[in-house]
Amino acid sequence: MPERPTRERILDEAVDLFGFRGVEAVSLDEIARAVGVRKQSVLYWFPSKEALVAAVLDTVADELIVVISAAIRASDDDPLVRIDAVIRAVFGPAVRRPALLGLVRELGRLDPELVDRLRSRVQPLVEACVRYLEDEMGRGRLRRADPRLVAALAYATVTGIATEPEALETVGWQRDLAGLRRLRDELRSFIRAALAP
Amino acid sequence: MPERPTRERILDEAVDLFGFRGVEAVSLDEIARAVGVRKQSVLYWFPSKEALVAAVLDTVADELIVVISAAIRASDDDPLVRIDAVIRAVFGPAVRRPALLGLVRELGRLDPELVDRLRSRVQPLVEACVRYLEDEMGRGRLRRADPRLVAALAYATVTGIATEPEALETVGWQRDLAGLRRLRDELRSFIRAALAP
DNA sequence: CAGACTCTCTACCAAGTGGTAGACGACGGC
DNA sequence: GCCGTCGTCTACCACTTGGTAGAGAGTCTG
């Protein structure tokens, strides 16, 4: 049978385990067991745990960058619609795969070199968003505000919900996908209201 | 000399170490060394690592609850000023002690029982804020919006910045206290703009 | 002083960690 | 049939982890 290659399956399980439980808390052995293989096979594909973490970050970043930059290039001219699309794009992968949110929460603790590489890949996207916001504000199609703040807020909101999905419960929502979607939708209309000219 | 009691010093170091590096990543031995004592003395004061974590959460919650509920009871009548005070209060402890932000990031991974207890202590505060927002909105002194969303956004923003202070750099700000303060101030005016009637 | 209590210590343990060395079978090209 | 490469395995290592047992020093109370 054409089973998926071991390397891919390891990456797959690693995303979930690292995301839900934390990199430090998950051992190579546990990942191996989840894949149905021995720890030493994991070390065959990834020479060290750190290499595995790096590979996980890379794959995740690839996906995120593709999805989000596609949304940025979306053709609709109305800036509010466009912002909406980006927010949906940012939440999209997280809604489909909650472990990704948990992974974000690991960033602050990982080897700074790894995080730097990841950030240098994401930064151009953020800059593009900021420039776009500035542009539309200059043309009066969005209310004047610090575009970097808007970016920081969106960034922080997503990672914040990532950090503590319990926050959803605390404010009286379910912490499952429905709660996440609801937050996303409310956030969209909130930003709309704040940025509408 | 009236040195601070060992128990307190352990709690103190634990807040910083757990916050900056993560509960799982910090060993009892490391905490003990930071205090200048042997691991077994730590285990004398806290019968297990989990008990230490619980105690840390309790002390932190105590401080937060005091500071925030004081801000909620602030006397100023203008809702915007009042909201401002609460935001400042939420950011206050974090600005003074960045490790607290890191601790928030641990919540999602800790024993659910611990987190539940913490949440049940914070929830009344959140509920009070929500009721207050609803009330002022009903009286037309704040723009109509879902008060739970406002609470969730504020909550998420703080924990988001906690999760990844690097986000500050990504959007072009310093990640130090100045950056944090700036984010706080911008957030205040942003919420003001969004909620002003 | 005697005895209890408080606090920190040394010594130890079983379990688990990331990682190395190398054997073993399967497979393809020659 | 033979050889090398690939992928997984068993066996092992040095080290760290959270936790136990109990000794012993210091102090307070009688």
Side-chain angles (χ1 to χ4, degrees):
Chain A
M1 67 194 71
E3 204 178 0
R4 286 178 55 226
T6 305
R7 204 191 120 98
E8 263 180 49
R9 279 155 58 214
I10 293 174
L11 275 176
D12 222 49
E13 295 290 346
V15 167
D16 285 336
L17 286 170
F18 285 160
F20 284 128
R21 310 239 324 281
V23 169
E24 188 97 17
V26 173
S27 70
L28 295 180
D29 197 55
E30 191 172 355
I31 296 172
R33 263 182 283 125
V35 175
V37 97
R38 299 275 170 251
K39 176 180 68 167
Q40 288 68 14
S41 299
V42 174
L43 282 166
Y44 169 80
W45 288 106
F46 306 93
S48 70
K49 188 178 184 180
E50 194 180 341
L52 173 57
V53 173
V56 164
L57 288 187
D58 267 347
T59 8
V60 168
D62 286 343
E63 185 190 355
L64 281 179
I65 288 174
V66 166
V67 171
I68 296 175
S69 53
I72 293 177
R73 285 192 313 270
S75 54
D76 199 294
D77 184 59
D78 179 352
L80 289 177
V81 174
R82 212 148 165 178
I83 290 172
D84 218 62
V86 172
I87 294 177
R88 288 182 60 96
V90 170
F91 273 82
V95 168
R96 279 195 302 278
R97 191 167 193 187
L100 292 182
L101 289 176
L103 219 52
V104 170
R105 142 167 75 172
E106 286 300 289
L107 292 181
R109 303 209 195 301
L110 299 178
D111 178 3
E113 256 180 65
L114 288 186
V115 181
D116 269 0
R117 206 177 69 204
L118 182 65
R119 189 168 68 231
S120 67
R121 295 187 60 191
V122 175
Q123 191 144 16
L125 274 184
V126 176
E127 287 301 328
C129 290
V130 168
R131 273 197 310 273
Y132 173 73
L133 288 174
E134 263 165 355
D135 185 46
E136 295 286 10
M137 286 171 182
R139 290 159 62 190
R141 304 211 304 171
L142 286 179
R143 175 198 299 209
R144 271 242 158 263
D146 184 338
R148 292 194 179 277
L149 170 71
V150 178
L153 274 186
Y155 208 116
T157 306
V158 175
T159 58
I161 295 301
T163 301
E164 206 201 0
E166 291 78 9
L168 291 179
E169 286 179 28
T170 305
V171 299
W173 289 347
Q174 314 142 15
R175 91 183 252 197
D176 58 6
L177 287 192
L180 197 56
R181 286 210 192 87
R182 184 162 166 198
L183 178 80
R184 179 197 63 193
D185 295 335
E186 298 277 1
L187 175 65
R188 282 159 59 196
S189 59
F190 192 78
I191 288 192
R192 246 187 140 90
L195 286 183
Chain B
M1 66 193 69
E3 204 178 0
R4 288 177 54 228
T6 305
R7 203 191 121 99
E8 262 181 50
R9 280 154 59 215
I10 293 173
L11 276 176
D12 221 48
E13 295 290 344
V15 167
D16 284 335
L17 287 169
F18 285 161
F20 284 128
R21 311 238 324 281
V23 170
E24 188 96 19
V26 173
S27 70
L28 294 181
D29 197 55
E30 191 172 354
I31 297 172
R33 263 182 283 125
V35 175
V37 97
R38 300 274 171 252
K39 178 181 67 167
Q40 289 69 14
S41 298
V42 175
L43 281 166
Y44 170 79
W45 290 105
F46 305 92
S48 70
K49 189 178 183 179
E50 194 179 342
L52 173 57
V53 174
V56 164
L57 289 187
D58 266 348
T59 10
V60 168
D62 286 342
E63 185 189 356
L64 281 179
I65 288 174
V66 166
V67 172
I68 296 175
S69 52
I72 292 178
R73 284 192 313 268
S75 54
D76 199 292
D77 184 59
D78 180 352
L80 289 178
V81 173
R82 213 149 166 178
I83 290 172
D84 218 61
V86 171
I87 294 178
R88 288 182 60 96
V90 170
F91 272 83
V95 168
R96 278 195 303 279
R97 190 165 195 189
L100 291 182
L101 289 176
L103 257 174
V104 171
R105 144 167 72 174
E106 286 300 290
L107 291 181
R109 305 209 190 307
L110 299 178
D111 179 2
E113 256 180 65
L114 289 186
V115 181
D116 269 1
R117 206 176 69 203
L118 182 65
R119 189 167 66 231
S120 67
R121 296 187 60 192
V122 175
Q123 191 141 17
L125 274 185
V126 176
E127 287 301 328
C129 290
V130 168
R131 271 196 311 273
Y132 174 71
L133 288 174
E134 264 166 352
D135 185 46
E136 295 286 10
M137 286 171 183
R139 293 157 63 190
R141 305 212 303 172
L142 287 179
R143 178 198 297 211
R144 271 242 157 262
D146 184 336
R148 294 196 178 275
L149 170 71
V150 178
L153 274 186
Y155 207 118
T157 305
V158 175
T159 59
I161 295 302
T163 301
E164 205 202 359
E166 291 78 9
L168 291 179
E169 286 178 28
T170 305
V171 299
W173 289 347
Q174 314 143 14
R175 91 182 251 194
D176 58 5
L177 286 192
L180 197 55
R181 286 210 194 86
R182 183 162 167 200
L183 178 80
R184 178 197 63 193
D185 294 335
E186 297 278 2
L187 175 65
R188 282 159 59 198
S189 58
F190 191 78
I191 288 192
R192 246 188 141 89
L195 286 184

